[in-house]
């Protein structure tokens, strides 16, 4: 398994941008599909974005398409989530997750991810 640590969260005004990072340690990072999930207060954890092992396939929840971009740097064991045009409803704790299932197409269900970070808070204000 890999160990994951998120960073980059914070306070941002609506319409602004943030970039989240997820640092992975452990073996064979490049063989894992990676994803970002989020959980807002009083709501269930939801899928945000995923990327396959090589970065050639990405998937997004409809509410962030065109605004968020997931990417990875396998040489540095890093995954990023660039978030633009942030909205109040993007406020949540964002979690990085790793899955050793799926290859060309990354999974999007939380049950497919075996490693999780502790999360980083993103708060969007008006």
């Amino acid at each position: 398994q890999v160990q994951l640590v998120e960073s980059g969260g914070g306070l941002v005004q609506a319409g602004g941008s943030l970039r989240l990072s997820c640092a992975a340690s452990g073996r064979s990072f490049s063989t894992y599909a990676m994803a970002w999930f989020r959980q807002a207060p009083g709501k269930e954890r939801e899928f945000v974005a995923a990327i396959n092992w090589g970065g050639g396939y990405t998937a997004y929840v409809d509410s962030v398409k065109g605004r968020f971009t997931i990417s990875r740097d396998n040489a540095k064991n890093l995954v990023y989530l660039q978030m633009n045009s942030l909205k109040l409803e993007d406020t949540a704790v964002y979690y990085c997750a790793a899955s050793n299932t799926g290859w060309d197409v990354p999974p999007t269900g939380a049950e497919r991810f075996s490693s999780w970070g502790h999360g980083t808070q993103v708060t969007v204000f008006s």
Side-chain angles (χ1 to χ4, degrees):
Q1 290 196 353
V2 293
Q3 291 75 48
L4 305 172
V5 178
E6 303 94 336
S7 61
L11 289 169
V12 61
Q13 193 167 21
S17 298
L18 278 177
R19 188 176 80 158
L20 306 183
S21 297
C22 173
S25 60
R27 295 183 175 182
S28 305
F29 169 75
S30 62
T31 66
Y32 285 82
M34 300 297 297
W36 290 93
F37 289 78
R38 66 186 180 187
Q39 187 166 19
K43 295 188 177 181
E44 294 186 354
R45 189 172 300 190
E46 70 165 345
F47 167 78
V48 176
I51 189 167
N52 73 346
W53 67 277
Y57 191 106
T58 57
Y60 299 91
V61 67
D62 285 347
S63 60
V64 308
K65 284 180 180 177
R67 300 190 297 122
F68 290 12
T69 302
I70 187 171
S71 61
R72 67 189 296 163
D73 184 337
N74 285 343
K76 297 181 179 179
N77 283 16
L78 289 168
V79 179
Y80 303 103
L81 185 68
Q82 177 67 44
M83 306 186 294
N84 299 329
S85 302
L86 282 160
K87 303 177 180 180
L88 297 179
E89 53 264 40
D90 294 320
T91 295
V93 177
Y94 284 71
Y95 298 90
C96 178
S99 173
N100 58 4
T101 66
W103 187 245
D104 291 332
V105 178
T108 59
E111 71 282 357
R112 300 279 297 278
F113 290 83
S114 56
S115 298
W116 294 82
H118 292 294
T120 186
Q121 176 71 46
V122 172
T123 302
V124 184
F125 62 93
S126 59

